[in-house]
Structures are given as C-alpha cells and as structure tokens.
Amino acid sequence: MAKYLVIVESPAKVKTIKKFLGAKYEVMASNGHVRDFPKSQFGIDVDHDYEPKYITIRGKGDILAGLRKEAKKADKVYLATDPDREGEAISWHLMKALKLDELKDKKVYRISFNEITKNAVKSSLKAPRQIDMNLVDAQQTRRILDRMVGYSISPLLWAKVKRGLSAGRVQSVALRIICDREDEINAFIPEEYWNLDADLTDGHAKKPLIAKFHGTADGKVAIHNKKELDQILKNLENAHYVVDEVKHGERTKKPPIPFTTSTMQQEASKVLNFSTQKTMRLAQQLYEGVEVKGHGTIALITYLRTDSTRVAEEADQAARAYIGQNYGEKYVSEGETAKKGGAKIQDAHEAIRPTDVTLTPDRVRHDLTPEQYRLYRLIWGRFTACQMSNAVYDNVVVDAGSAGYLFRANYSEQKFAGYTAVYEEAKDEETSEVRRPLPSLKQGDAVELKNVTKEQQFTQPPARYTEATLIRAMEEKGIGRPSTYAPTISTILSRNYVVKEGRYLRPTNLGIVVTEMMEEYFRNIVDLKFTANMETDLDKIEAGKMAWKDVLREYYKDFDANLNNAEIQLEGKHLKVPDEESDEVCPNCGRKLVYKNGRFGRFLACPGYPECSFTMPIVVEMPGKCPACGGRLLKRTSRKGFAYYACERGHDCPGHGE
C-alpha cells in the first residue's frame, strides 16, 4: 500500500488536516523554520557573491530526524507549508535539510492551500507543483538584507549607545515615522478659533434647531479671534432669522472591502483594543483549527497573512445565499464584492474570511475563548457585510440666515440598514451630524433665536500614532508587508524605543537618540522612499523580473561604505541618552523622579543614585479619590504582572490594610 507524507509548519494543523486524508497519509510538522544563519557569525559570504550560510536551528535536530525517517518510507512527500514567501522558503529549506532532492525514486511536491478545509486540502493534492524559486529568492533577499542591517549595526548601537539595542531594515523606519510625528507635535503652534451655535425655533417644535455658524452667502467663514466674534455678534443684535433653504437628499454608504492583514489589525486595534501581536496570535489559532462541537477540529478562517482582497467565487456565492435566506434578498449586493488592486499586492491570495459563512459567531461562541470569539465575530461580520447592499440615509440640510450670515444644521437618519445590519466600521472621530429629528421647516419660515453658544477653541497638533494608524501609515508608504507589521511594533516596544500611553505610541529619549544616529550615519536605511523601493525590488524578484544577487550587490556597496564611515566618525564617542523626567517627586531628596528600565519593565527612580536609591512603580492616576484619606488613587502592577489599585500614601493611608 502506497504511503504519503505531508509536512506542514505548525503542529496545530496536523490534527485538522489528518482527519481530511485517509490512512495512507502521514501528516507531520516542521515547527516553523528548520534552518537559519548561525548566531555567532555573519552568515553571508560577501567575497563569494553573497552566498548565504545556513545551519540547522538548535533544537530542530530531532524533528528533522523524525521527518527524514518518514520521508524514506514514503512514496511521495508533499511540502504543505504556508502559501507565501516565508512558507515557500521553509519548503525549500526542508528539501535541503532532509536531502529530499537526493533521494532516488522519490517524488517530492509542493502544495499550498489558502484555507484548511477538506476541499482545499484535497484540491491541492490534485494540483502539486515544484518549489517556486522566485518566491524563495525573494524571501532569501529580505532575510539577507535584514541580516546585513541587524548584524552590522546592532553591535555599533551596543558600543555607542546602550547594550541590548537593535536596528532593523523595517523596524528603524517605523521608529523614524513615530519620531517624525513627535517632531511635528513639538513644532506645532496652536491657532485660536471660535465656534458659534444658534438655538433656533419656529415656536412649535419641542426642541430647538441647533445651527452652527457657517459663514456668508459667499462661502464658509472662520472666526479667528474674540474681536471677529464680537463683531459678528454685534451685527446679529436684534436681527431676524429666516430659513433660506432646506435641502433634502439621500446618501448611500458602500460596504467596506474584505479584510487584509493590515486592515484586520487596524480594525481589531480600534474596535477590540487588541495589540497587533494579540490579533495575529488569535487569527493564527482560528486559521489552524479549533475544536467545534459537532464538527471536530476545524479551521474557521482563511490564511491570515495577505494583502489581497480577492474573494473566491464559491465563498462569494455561499455568503450571498446565506444573506438572502437570513436577511432577505434586498440585503444581497447587486454588484461584485469590493476589491482593490495595485502594485503593492504581493500575491493572488484571498482576503481573510470565514471558511464557512454559516458558522456564525453565535454558533461557535461556546467553543471559542472570549478573545477568539470577538476576533472571529469581527472577521465574520466584515466578510458578510462585503456581500451586502448599501446602507441608505435620508439627509436634511437647513440653512438659516440673519444679517447676511448663514447658520447651518445637518441631519441624517438611516432609511435602510443594508450591510450595517451585521457590521459597522470603527470611526476615527465622531461625526458632526445632528442625530435627532429636526423641526419641520420650509424655505421662508421665520425662526426665533432662543440662545447663542460661543466657544473658544485652538487647533490641535497631529495625534500620535496608535498601532492601527502606524500600520496604516506603513502600508500607505509601502514599508514592510503583512507578516512584518506585528513583529516590527513588538520589537520597538520591547527595546523601549517606544512606549504606549493609553493607545498612543510615544518615542522615548532612547528611541529619539537611536533614530538621530541612524539618520546621520545610515540615511538610506531610515529613508522611507528607499525602503519602499526595496520592497518593490523584492516584489520584482518574486515575479522573476529581477535577479536577487543584483539587489544584494547594489545594496551592500553603499551600506558597507556607510558602516565604515560610522565606525570612523564614532570612534571614541558615546551617545548619551537624556533621562526622562516624570512629574513625581522623590520623597527622600526632592528631586524629580526619572523613568528607568528593569527586568520587570519601566519604573521610576531617583536621579540622585547612588546617594539616593529611592524607586517606585510608574504612576497611573485613576479617576476618583481614596475613600479613607482623599488622596489620589493609583494603578499599580505587581511583579507577576497583575494590576491593582492603591492610595498614593501607601502604608501611611489610614485605610491601609482594611
């Protein structure tokens, strides 16, 4: 009886896939990559045309031995790693590590599938192929470029700034984007302006019409200062208000496009407050398979690393049938599923979607963890919405005039839910539309002024990046790819280049010093256009339109010159990182406490060390006051990572220990 071996990346997939195949198939896992560069050496032979040197990753010897044993017994070997560059490279490394290309009378094939379902897995076995070396070369080039930067610059950072630091081809650019935004915030000069609202009534409505100052008949006018405001108010004294125009209209809102890796991470951050790392971990679990009552172990979503929004015809039709049966035919979209294109799309993968639209979030809720459920509900809702009709709104705009000035009120009411019956996108900022019925008014109606509300405002600097907005910025600028966003953000946080304050990412003094050094000595590495062009070159390698060694030769020539120059210029120098002061005062000596990093994370310490060795956890003030003494309530974190709340006076608080 013939026997076949299927090798996947993750052990979690083994059980899911094994139940789809017969007894003659053995399914085993490589546990990710099996070969990489040696840790103690550069691993790239520059003198021999940038030939990489790979060794077996420590701890993978037993795994490879088991795979080699099964491969010798099998008539056919199927390499079923993930359907992307990284997966293709793992298959190639497996081929080399297991010496599959040397085994006689052995048929070795590469198969890939976008979803771990019975149909997808069986279909892939019917369409085996050879390893795509263009994909492998693109991955090798990326890995070698990252190695050049990390292995060469990180020791320089250790010597000139601080031990434990690192640089990276994508990581350093992401950090620069955050630092550039901080420079914009620091350079921002607020400008004054005023809001002016008029509460108008026709004498019949229970609630007044709240109309905002718009300008004049000639166009919008901004109120820049109190002097301009007072002049407008003076002109409006004893003036009569008349409805100039009432516009009725209909507005449609199209459903969103399906999730890519980037948009899934952004939406999960905004809606669920998940970090990119958590989102990818949970999505991996949903992709590899979970135990669902009545179904066994099944995968709930398609492959999670993709920048495509394409949806398979079969999935599209299944979603439309589900919507028609459960919501009615008028909720089914008449057009094609929204798609996007462009040069940045790396592959022909599908968007992220549920493998079976009939497995609604409610049906699988009790089989998932709360966090898995919340992410699956988001993915299921987004995909289902994509096949649904537009939401329709009735709009009313009322313009009221007085003394040559124009006041405007907007109103919008949903007329037909459409796709919003299952999904609503997170909003970055609140809408300014009035969400209550307006008085029934027509052109020429006289209205009476009940009240005027004036409010001084100042323009605000651009907001710091959140994880979601940073990913969006990186995607728009062509920095990195779906697989790099989460690890990049995780790295700059773990290196303390950036800290999270609420949802926002703020560069630390360490991050600013490192970025300034990179900008001075390694300008290309932190140049956004240069990095984006490098990603384009990787895409060209993948498409077979560029030789990978040519890219390495061109890159290394300038990089090596910059590295030598940096080592010469920094000879004997040490770049000092200024302490970051807090608002907290040392109770022992009165100095302002500064932020430090330790084995348990960031903490506050007295800058007077060693004369004064006072330390304390970082202060996060909570709403309310201590019921025992009226002091501030602070959020603390224990050494085991648990959050708790305590009075700022600690043991001195009368309520301590109660």
Side-chain angles (χ1 to χ4, degrees), residues 150-217:
Y151 196 89
S152 303
I153 300 180
S154 295
L156 194 63
L157 289 171
W158 281 45
K160 303 304 175 184
V161 184
K162 183 184 176 184
R163 289 185 64 82
L165 303 183
S166 70
R169 191 177 56 85
V170 175
Q171 159 198 327
S172 298
V173 179
L175 178 58
R176 181 189 171 173
I177 291 172
I178 294 171
C179 289
D180 284 350
R181 176 57 58 87
E182 198 69 15
D183 289 341
E184 288 180 57
I185 293 169
N186 292 333
F188 183 81
I189 300 173
E191 294 182 5
E192 181 185 9
Y193 70 95
W194 286 77
N195 290 330
L196 179 62
D197 294 348
D199 294 359
L200 305 171
T201 180
D202 62 353
H204 301 291
K206 292 181 180 179
K207 293 184 178 179
L209 164 70
I210 302 174
K212 296 182 178 297
F213 179 83
H214 183 76
T216 67

Side-chain angles (χ1 to χ4, degrees), residues 68-82:
R68 197 174 288 117
K69 181 180 177 182
E70 289 299 323
K72 285 180 179 178
K73 293 190 290 184
D75 296 297
K76 291 181 182 179
V77 178
Y78 294 98
L79 301 171
T81 50
D82 286 348

Side-chain angles (χ1 to χ4, degrees), residues 230-239 402-403 405:
D230 289 342
Q231 184 60 52
I232 292 169
L233 291 174
K234 183 178 179 182
N235 294 339
L236 287 168
E237 284 180 6
N238 303 317
S402 179
Y405 296 113

Side-chain angles (χ1 to χ4, degrees), residues 17-128:
I17 293 173
K18 201 159 188 174
K19 73 173 188 176
F20 301 146
L21 305 174
K24 60 183 179 181
Y25 284 89
E26 182 64 45
V27 183
M28 299 180 72
S30 70
N31 287 56
H33 277 277
V34 293
R35 298 200 309 171
D36 199 4
F37 295 123
K39 287 189 175 181
S40 58
Q41 301 173 31
F42 186 32
I44 304 161
D45 193 341
V46 177
D47 297 328
H48 291 84
D49 205 17
Y50 305 93
E51 195 62 32
K53 177 186 177 183
Y54 296 113
I55 63 168
T56 301
I57 295 172
R58 180 174 293 182
K60 291 297 179 79
D62 290 343
I63 292 172
L64 286 173
L67 291 171
R68 197 174 288 117
K69 181 180 177 182
E70 289 299 323
K72 285 180 179 178
K73 293 190 290 184
D75 296 297
K76 291 181 182 179
V77 178
Y78 294 98
L79 301 171
T81 50
D82 286 348
D84 55 13
R85 287 179 191 166
E86 209 71 26
E88 203 74 17
I90 291 174
S91 281
W92 179 74
H93 282 296
L94 282 167
M95 173 82 80
K96 296 297 181 183
L98 299 175
K99 298 181 179 179
L100 297 176
D101 48 351
E102 298 177 13
L103 294 176
K104 293 181 180 180
D105 302 322
K106 190 74 59 179
K107 294 182 179 179
V108 181
Y109 300 104
R110 169 78 168 113
I111 60 172
S112 58
F113 31 83
N114 190 58
E115 56 183 346
I116 306 175
T117 60
K118 188 173 184 178
N119 285 344
V121 173
K122 290 208 163 187
S123 294
S124 71
L125 290 169
K126 293 175 183 176

Side-chain angles (χ1 to χ4, degrees), residues 392-408:
V392 183
Y393 299 83
D394 277 332
N395 279 359
V396 177
V397 179
V398 179
D399 286 345
S402 179
Y405 296 113
L406 186 69
F407 288 80
R408 176 168 290 174

Side-chain angles (χ1 to χ4, degrees), residues 540-641:
K540 289 178 181 177
I541 294 168
E542 179 177 325
K545 296 178 180 178
M546 184 176 281
W548 68 294
K549 292 287 184 73
D550 288 347
V551 173
L552 294 174
R553 292 187 201 104
E554 187 66 27
Y555 186 87
Y556 188 75
K557 180 176 63 178
D558 291 336
F559 174 74
D560 191 45
N562 289 337
L563 183 63
N564 290 331
N565 176 62
E567 288 173 342
I568 293 168
Q569 295 296 321
L570 289 168
E571 180 69 33
K573 293 182 180 179
H574 186 82
L575 304 178
K576 181 171 175 56
V577 179
D579 284 331
E580 285 189 64
E581 274 193 356
S582 74
D583 294 328
E584 299 299 315
V585 176
C586 176
N588 295 340
C589 66
R591 294 181 176 95
K592 284 281 188 75
L593 298 179
V594 297
Y595 292 96
K596 295 290 185 181
N597 295 302
R599 58 181 299 197
F600 298 108
R602 281 162 63 84
F603 63 96
L604 293 172
C606 182
Y609 183 84
E611 291 86 6
C612 179
S613 58
F614 178 81
T615 63
M616 65 179 284
I618 290 176
V619 172
V620 179
E621 189 170 352
M622 305 304 293
K625 298 292 182 182
C626 173
C629 70
R632 292 182 301 168
L633 287 176
L634 306 179
K635 182 181 179 181
R636 307 285 199 192
T637 304
S638 71
R639 288 194 170 187
K640 292 186 177 180

